[in-house]
Amino acid sequence: MDSEWAPHISYFTNWLLAAGRQPSTITTRTRWLQLLARTYPAHTPLSITHTELSEWIANPRWKPASKKSALATARRFFHYLEITGTRPDNPTKLLLSVKVPRGKARPIPDQVLTGGLARAAAAEEIFMILLAAYAGLRRFEIAKLHTNDYVNGWLTIRGKGQVMRHIPAHPVLKPYLELKSAGYYFPGRFTGHRHPDNIGKNISRLLEGDFSTHQLRHWFATTTYARCKDIRAVQELLGHADVATTQSYIGVEDEQLTAAISALHRFTQENLPSNT
């Protein structure tokens, strides 16, 4: 990486660390900035303009979500340079926001979930899947789950942005939660806890096909809402700041759409307006 970029990126990541940002967020920000530096080796963080940034984000090979992530990184980085007096202007202020198509819920099919549980050879593999499906945990939340997080039948989860949420443990989880009395439920090989990527790869392997841990989270949202019909409760369980995000996690089956149409009031033919 260009020596002109390295110290600025280092100071920026320390700034994010001081604010308690997740390691995964910092890693993502760093990778985007390293890519930007490699794309424009003749420029420094102090000389690059909005023209180059627009060209970079307009990469036709990137999906809208990637463009949005790249823009978010650039905005945060150049905001930092501006407020610290390192750069007098912020070139990202001239960039428009990236529109991302609304996400569609992708709950995992029931038979894939049961198949994954059947293929699990060890209790900890079953436990991984159940934590995603019956508590709605993200893979990094599963990886760092500690016995201290389970008290009196409730799980305390520190999610994105260090936001805390409390989840009543489903009865199917309790035997696994009570198997261990101290330490991480998924310890690392030498110290600490398992890496989130390891959790994700293990779950995907067990589920087979193109299915992920996050789709189990969607299954949790869809199934829970179908039973309780309380969107705010599901929002709290998932740890979403915006209920609109929760809505995008909840799938709607064809039978529900058919029932909704069937519920419309029927007019008799003679009551319909004439075309003539």
Side-chain angles (χ1 to χ4, degrees), residues 67-270:
K67 294 182 179 184
K68 185 174 182 177
S69 179
L71 176 59
T73 294
R75 280 179 168 167
R76 183 65 68 180
F77 178 64
F78 288 102
H79 169 71
Y80 167 76
L81 295 182
E82 182 183 31
I83 64 173
T84 56
T86 307
R87 178 172 173 145
D89 66 326
N90 180 347
T92 64
K93 288 182 177 178
L94 296 173
L95 301 179
L96 295 173
S97 297
V98 175
K99 296 291 185 181
V100 178
R102 189 176 65 176
K104 185 177 181 180
R106 298 177 296 113
I108 198 166
D110 289 355
Q111 63 270 24
V112 174
L113 171 55
T114 55
L117 291 170
R119 276 185 289 275
E124 77 163 17
E125 292 180 336
I126 296 175
F127 191 27
M128 289 178 187
I129 295 175
L130 292 178
L131 283 170
Y134 282 84
L137 301 193
R138 303 173 176 96
R139 62 181 187 172
F140 83 85
E141 294 169 344
I142 296 172
K144 67 179 185 179
L145 190 66
H146 195 278
T147 53
N148 292 340
D149 300 326
Y150 177 58
V151 179
N152 296 328
W154 285 73
L155 288 168
T156 298
I157 305 299
R158 189 183 298 275
K160 284 186 175 180
Q162 301 298 308
V163 175
M164 304 287 288
R165 69 185 190 277
H166 302 284
I167 303 170
H170 190 280
V172 76
L173 292 174
K174 290 183 178 181
Y176 297 93
L177 290 166
E178 292 165 4
L179 277 176
K180 198 167 188 176
S181 59
Y184 289 108
Y185 284 103
F186 305 100
R189 181 175 297 180
F190 302 108
T191 185
H193 57 73
R194 203 85 57 85
H195 194 280
D197 287 349
N198 178 272
I199 299 293
K201 287 176 182 177
N202 272 290
I203 290 177
S204 293
R205 171 180 56 80
L206 292 166
L207 296 176
E208 293 190 338
D210 189 22
F211 297 105
S212 67
T213 309
H214 211 66
Q215 284 177 271
L216 287 172
R217 189 165 150 85
H218 282 219
W219 182 90
F220 170 82
T222 300
T223 308
T224 304
Y225 181 73
R227 301 292 186 273
C228 72
K229 300 299 182 184
D230 188 339
I231 192 71
R232 281 285 295 115
V234 179
Q235 178 190 0
E236 290 296 322
L237 290 170
L238 291 172
H240 287 155
D242 190 341
V243 73
T245 304
T246 308
Q247 290 172 326
S248 71
Y249 276 53
I250 298 171
V252 180
E253 296 183 356
D254 291 347
E255 291 79 4
Q256 292 173 278
L257 298 177
T258 301
I261 291 296
S262 299
L264 290 171
H265 178 64
R266 293 187 181 184
F267 284 91
T268 59
Q269 189 65 38
E270 56 269 21

Side-chain angles (χ1 to χ4, degrees), residues 27-82:
T27 298
T28 299
R29 299 281 189 247
T30 301
R31 286 176 179 170
W32 278 124
L33 292 173
Q34 290 172 342
L35 176 60
L36 179 59
R38 291 195 300 270
T39 306
Y40 296 99
H43 284 283
T44 73
L46 308 185
S47 67
I48 198 166
T49 69
H50 75 275
T51 302
E52 285 84 31
L53 291 173
S54 293
E55 179 184 59
W56 181 59
I57 295 170
N59 190 326
R61 296 188 300 275
W62 292 355
K63 293 181 179 179
S66 295
K67 294 182 179 184
K68 185 174 182 177
S69 179
L71 176 59
T73 294
R75 280 179 168 167
R76 183 65 68 180
F77 178 64
F78 288 102
H79 169 71
Y80 167 76
L81 295 182
E82 182 183 31

